[in-house]
């Protein structure tokens, strides 16, 4: 079992999407989505822009992996399709990709252009790894992200840097033990709203690396 840890630069509730009783990572982080296997853990730590360095925004153990077309067609995840004139939760659905006539189709979503049209740069980044990670064993804290004890992070030499790091589970045993010992009551719960939930109508452009209103 491996443990993947990365810094969450933006927390809208889109990547990961912790709603409807399942936590999914269907966009962004193409390398993590390509490499992580069932049983692996993924931790998202707060970044400087969120003012949450050293705090755990989410942790998910991968329980299932599937391709975009499978995710799109699976009735379990129909509620994960975005509805841009719906509630904040509905607006941020991550089930946005499927193929038609061999071409990727992108729903009007957080990764589309401001007018709702497809964003070719986001499509290229997201579909570069045709894989969705699914978890029915997750912790999502959002704005109530707990602080991970400093000594635990120091032991694994964690630093607030871009990209991700991969550890063997025994290297992160203290981190996993801390999570289960202190947060068991929050298993499979959305403890608090995402940091940027109030901006649910915004879009993100990977080519500009900025949020578009």
């Amino acid at each position: 079992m491996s443990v993947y840890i990365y810094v969450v630069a933006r927390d809208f509730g889109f990547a990961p999407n912790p709603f409807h009783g399942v936590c999914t990572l269907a966009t962004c982080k193409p390398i993590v989505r390509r490499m992580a296997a069932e049983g692996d853990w993924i931790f998202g730590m707060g970044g400087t822009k969120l003012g949450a360095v050293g705090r755990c925004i989410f942790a998910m153990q991968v329980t299932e992996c599937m391709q975009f077309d499978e995710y799109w067609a699976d009735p379990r995840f129909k509620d994960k399709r975005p509805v841009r004139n719906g509630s904040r939760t509905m607006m941020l659905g991550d089930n946005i990709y499927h193929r038609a006539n061999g071409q990727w189709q992108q729903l009007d979503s957080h990764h589309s252009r401001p007018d709702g049209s497809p964003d070719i740069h986001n499509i290229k980044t997201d579909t570069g790894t045709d894989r969705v990670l699914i978890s029915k064993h997750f912790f999502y804290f959002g704005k109530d992200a707990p602080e991970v004890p400093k000594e635990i992070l120091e032991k694994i030499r964690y630093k607030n840097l871009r990209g991700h790091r991969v550890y063997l589970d025994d290297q992160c045993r203290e981190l996993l033990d801390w999570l289960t010992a202190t947060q068991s009551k929050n298993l499979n719960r959305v403890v608090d709203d995402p940091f940027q939930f109030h901006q649910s109508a915004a879009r993100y452009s990977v080519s500009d690396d900025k949020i578009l209103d």
Side-chain angles (χ1 to χ4, degrees):
M1 185 178 74
S2 298
V3 178
Y4 295 78
I5 303 179
Y6 70 87
V7 173
V8 178
R10 299 170 301 281
D11 180 43
F12 288 86
F14 180 71
N17 182 296
F19 305 118
H20 310 293
V22 184
C23 191
T24 48
L25 189 59
T27 64
C28 304
K29 293 300 171 186
I31 298 176
V32 175
R33 285 190 288 115
R34 182 174 71 244
M35 294 176 61
E38 290 183 25
D40 289 349
W41 278 92
I42 301 170
F43 279 75
M45 300 293 293
T48 303
K49 291 181 180 179
L50 298 180
V53 175
R55 295 164 62 188
C56 178
I57 293 178
F58 81 94
M60 59 183 278
Q61 186 172 32
V62 180
T63 57
E64 190 175 358
C65 307
M66 59 177 58
Q67 294 181 318
F68 284 121
D69 283 344
E70 295 173 308
Y71 187 50
W72 174 266
D74 195 316
R76 293 177 296 165
F77 306 114
K78 186 175 181 180
D79 287 341
K80 293 263 190 178
R81 294 186 188 181
V83 180
R84 292 298 290 182
N85 61 354
S87 67
R88 293 188 188 281
T89 297
M90 296 169 68
M91 292 173 75
L92 289 161
D94 67 352
N95 192 354
I96 64 174
Y97 293 113
H98 67 286
R99 289 187 187 89
N101 299 318
Q103 300 295 317
W104 287 111
Q105 308 298 306
Q106 182 192 64
L107 286 191
D108 184 3
S109 63
H110 179 65
H111 268 196
S112 302
R113 301 297 300 168
D115 63 0
S117 62
D119 184 312
I120 59 173
H121 300 289
N122 284 342
I123 292 173
K124 182 178 180 180
T125 297
D126 292 337
T127 62
T129 294
D130 186 1
R131 205 156 182 256
V132 179
L133 304 180
I134 297 162
S135 177
K136 293 184 179 179
H137 189 94
F138 69 91
F139 301 82
Y140 181 83
F141 305 106
K143 292 187 295 184
D144 197 31
E147 187 172 355
V148 179
K150 187 177 180 179
E151 58 271 20
I152 291 179
L153 296 179
E154 288 179 345
K155 190 169 184 178
I156 61 174
R157 299 181 180 178
Y158 169 80
K159 295 187 182 300
N160 182 47
L161 301 172
R162 292 176 63 90
H164 69 275
R165 295 192 66 181
V166 188
Y167 304 85
L168 297 177
D169 62 325
D170 59 347
Q171 294 175 294
C172 287
R173 180 48 51 193
E174 290 186 23
L175 176 62
L176 293 169
D177 287 347
W178 165 82
L179 180 69
T180 55
T182 65
Q183 303 297 329
S184 60
K185 66 181 182 298
N186 292 319
L187 180 65
N188 296 336
R189 287 185 56 215
V190 176
V191 177
D192 203 348
D193 289 341
F195 278 82
Q196 294 160 287
F197 205 42
H198 62 287
Q199 294 177 279
S200 54
R203 321 281 183 151
Y204 172 72
S205 168
V206 69
S207 60
D208 299 320
D209 191 23
K210 67 179 182 179
I211 299 166
L212 307 174
D213 295 326

